[in-house]
């Protein structure tokens, strides 16, 4: 990751133009980031998390990260001195309808003008909802072994690439057995799981940029539109066409 700087973990909101972002930085406080509109990715040296409207990303203090926006995005951030989730690594949290409204309200301009006691009560309810939010994997880990990294790069360049691990191994000079072992030790998941995560990330980005569900399914390598819809719904809790995050 490029040279980084420290930035304050402010509570508030700001627009980010499609394709824009915030370069690598870190905070001395913990932070919750949420895309009230659009899709936001959070990238660290370890990998990337993607956040549609049904997910928020927890970023622990001291974590070097950068943001990228897909579609016109409204970035909402909450800075926290304490660690109510007891998490020391970035994580994706499910955002219920109630939690969404709490985040939007707490980070609004009007909330800054409320009485301290009222804002404290709002914060307490917000933290209660965060503690109850289950974690869901929207994480795409980065390979560190050069052979596996080369194989992954081929798919990042073309998520619809349907080559098997054996075929990819022939290109990068590693056996299927070696790459399969590296997936588990380096990525913490199987090759099919990693490929599915990659395709879901790409699908979210394309949907945010206005592509149709059918075109996204084809571009990301699903055998059919219905297969894409089913996988997307299981991952994010809604169909890709029902909610343009």
């Amino acid at each position: 990751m490029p040279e980084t700087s420290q930035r304050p973990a402010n509570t508030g909101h700001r627009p980010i133009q499609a394709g824009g972002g915030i370069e690598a930085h870190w905070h001395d406080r913990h932070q919750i980031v949420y895309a009230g509109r659009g899709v936001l990715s959070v990238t660290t040296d370890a990998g990337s998390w993607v956040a549609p409207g049904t997910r928020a990303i927890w970023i622990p203090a001291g974590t070097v990260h950068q943001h990228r926006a897909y579609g016109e995005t409204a970035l909402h951030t909450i800075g926290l001195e304490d660690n109510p989730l007891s998490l020391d690594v970035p994580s994706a949290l499910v955002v219920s309808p109630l939690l969404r409204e709490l985040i939007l309200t707490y980070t609004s301009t009007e909330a800054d003008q409320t009485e301290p006691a009222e804002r404290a009560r709002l914060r307490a309810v917000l933290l209660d909802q965060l503690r109850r939010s289950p974690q869901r994997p929207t994480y795409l880990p980065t390979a560190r072994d050069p052979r596996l990294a080369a194989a992954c790069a081929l798919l990042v360049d073309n998520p619809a690439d349907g080559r098997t691990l054996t075929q990819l191994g022939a290109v990068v000079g590693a056996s299927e057995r070696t790459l399969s072992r590296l997936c588990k030790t380096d990525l913490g998941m199987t090759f099919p799981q990693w490929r599915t995560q990659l395709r879901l990330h790409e699908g979210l980005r394309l949907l945010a940029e206005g592509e149709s569900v059918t075109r996204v399914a084809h571009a990301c390598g699903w055998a059919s539109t219905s297969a894409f819809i089913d996988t997307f719904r299981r991952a994010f809790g809604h169909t890709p066409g029902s909610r343009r995050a």
Side-chain angles (χ1 to χ4, degrees):
M1 199 169 275
E3 184 177 350
T4 64
S5 61
Q6 180 184 1
R7 297 191 181 202
N10 294 327
T11 295
H13 67 279
R14 57 175 289 186
I16 303 180
Q17 297 297 314
I22 302 173
E23 295 309 314
H25 63 282
W26 59 279
H27 309 291
D28 60 0
R29 294 194 297 164
H30 309 293
Q31 190 177 55
I32 294 286
V33 298
Y34 176 69
R37 183 179 68 254
V39 170
L40 183 75
S41 70
V42 177
T43 300
T44 72
D45 285 337
S48 297
W49 287 256
V50 64
T54 55
R55 298 289 186 271
I57 306 296
W58 165 261
I59 303 174
T63 302
V64 177
H65 61 285
Q66 58 189 18
H67 302 300
R68 194 64 57 205
Y70 301 92
E72 297 295 319
T73 298
L75 173 63
H76 296 258
T77 59
I78 299 173
L80 297 170
E81 292 284 355
D82 52 352
N83 188 341
L85 306 180
S86 299
L87 293 171
D88 58 5
V89 294
S91 301
L93 306 172
V94 172
V95 174
S96 66
L98 173 58
L99 181 54
R100 171 183 167 83
E101 294 306 316
L102 287 167
I103 293 173
L104 297 183
T105 300
Y106 191 74
T107 58
S108 68
T109 304
E110 292 77 10
D112 290 337
Q113 303 169 359
T114 59
E115 295 183 359
E118 180 180 347
R119 185 163 175 80
R121 291 193 296 271
L122 179 60
R123 174 190 171 90
V125 177
L126 172 61
L127 293 182
D128 281 343
Q129 289 301 308
L130 283 173
R131 293 186 188 98
R132 296 178 182 178
S133 296
Q135 298 179 49
R136 289 290 184 272
T138 62
Y139 171 48
L140 186 70
T142 298
R144 299 191 180 279
D145 183 278
R147 296 162 294 178
L148 182 58
C152 290
L154 294 172
L155 301 185
V156 170
D157 289 341
N158 179 18
D161 189 332
R163 280 179 287 182
T164 66
L165 202 55
T166 300
Q167 293 170 322
L168 292 170
V171 176
V172 302
S175 69
E176 183 276 339
R177 183 175 180 178
T178 295
L179 291 179
S180 181
R181 173 178 56 81
L182 287 171
C183 283
K184 294 177 182 178
T185 59
D186 218 16
L187 303 177
M189 59 181 65
T190 66
F191 174 70
Q193 289 171 331
W194 187 89
R195 193 205 295 263
T196 297
Q197 286 294 93
L198 171 67
R199 289 176 170 177
L200 285 170
H201 276 217
E202 184 66 14
L204 279 169
R205 294 168 184 172
L206 293 175
L207 288 168
E209 292 167 359
E211 295 287 353
S212 71
V213 173
T214 299
R215 286 179 61 88
V216 171
H218 176 75
C220 294
W222 268 276
S224 66
T225 302
S226 61
F228 169 53
I229 292 172
D230 181 61
T231 304
F232 191 99
R233 181 175 56 241
R234 285 187 280 111
F236 299 115
H238 60 90
T239 61
S242 66
R243 180 175 179 175
R244 295 288 178 149

